[in-house]
Amino acid sequence: MTEELKNHEDVEELGRDLSFFMADNAEEAPEEKVYVSKRFKDKKGKVIPFIMKAIPTERIEELEKECTKTEYHKGRKIGERVDQVRFYARIAVETTIYPDLKSKELRKSYKTEDPIEVAKRLLSIGGEYSTWIEEATRINGFDDDFEDLEEEAKN
């Protein structure tokens, strides 16, 4: 018997009970400690993690819209394109709870009003910045593939 068929039987066994999917039954996204840099340490010398949490789909859609640019050719609109680099950076800023990259203190310290620029200056080593983006996309489910979700459902 295939796994797909077994899963279908599991659903049949539940009687297609929709109560599992009601708003009150959805678990809140957890906060995660993520280590993106070894350069920031507390007074005891321990590396300080970033704290990140997934953001709602509605907010991701807003960010995508904000990062969409109209493309023109010879003064004529030819379509729209999402600035993927800025889009994923905006997701990372919104996902990052600590440090608050929008805080007045950090923006002043790094001499910029743009939280993305704060992140770029804070995580000035290329690998740190890319790890931060990767972790934010992972936390928001952009790297989940169907096989991973299926394996998690089995457990």
Side-chain angles (χ1 to χ4, degrees), residues 5 11 18 29-30 33 39 46 66 70-71 88 99 106 108-109 111 131 134 137 144 148-149:
L5 188 54
V11 170
L18 295 178
K33 290 182 180 179
R39 299 181 305 118
K46 292 176 68 177
E66 291 169 13
T70 304
E71 291 187 321
Y88 285 117
L106 281 180
K108 184 176 178 182
S109 175
K111 297 175 177 57
T131 297
E134 287 170 15
T137 56
D144 289 344
D148 291 342
L149 293 173

Side-chain angles (χ1 to χ4, degrees), residues 11-95:
V11 170
E12 290 298 322
E13 191 175 304
L14 296 172
R16 298 188 189 255
D17 182 355
L18 295 178
S19 68
F20 302 110
F21 300 101
M22 298 299 169
D24 293 345
N25 288 331
E27 292 181 6
E28 187 176 333
E31 290 183 0
E32 291 187 39
K33 290 182 180 179
V34 178
Y35 294 89
V36 297
S37 175
K38 298 175 185 173
R39 299 181 305 118
F40 302 99
K41 299 177 181 175
D42 65 15
K43 293 176 182 173
K44 295 179 182 176
K46 292 176 68 177
V47 175
I48 301 172
F50 279 32
I51 298 174
M52 302 175 92
K53 181 178 178 179
I55 57 177
T57 301
E58 293 84 8
R59 183 62 182 135
I60 291 172
E61 288 175 347
E62 290 169 4
L63 295 173
E64 183 177 33
K65 193 177 229 179
E66 291 169 13
C67 294
T68 298
K69 297 180 179 180
T70 304
E71 291 187 321
Y72 296 93
H73 180 71
K74 295 183 179 179
R76 208 168 148 215
K77 181 180 174 180
I78 59 170
E80 295 181 332
R81 179 183 61 82
V82 175
D83 179 345
Q84 294 287 332
V85 173
R86 186 146 184 93
F87 174 58
Y88 285 117
R90 294 282 307 273
I91 287 173
V93 166
E94 296 286 327
T95 300

Side-chain angles (χ1 to χ4, degrees), residues 119-134:
K120 286 180 180 178
R121 294 172 189 180
L122 176 75
L123 302 168
S124 59
I125 297 173
E128 295 172 340
Y129 186 80
S130 65
T131 297
W132 174 66
I133 298 285
E134 287 170 15

Side-chain angles (χ1 to χ4, degrees), residues 1-13:
M1 186 176 295
T2 67
E3 286 299 319
E4 189 176 297
L5 188 54
K6 277 186 191 175
N7 288 340
H8 180 69
E9 288 174 356
D10 290 344
V11 170
E12 290 298 322
E13 191 175 304

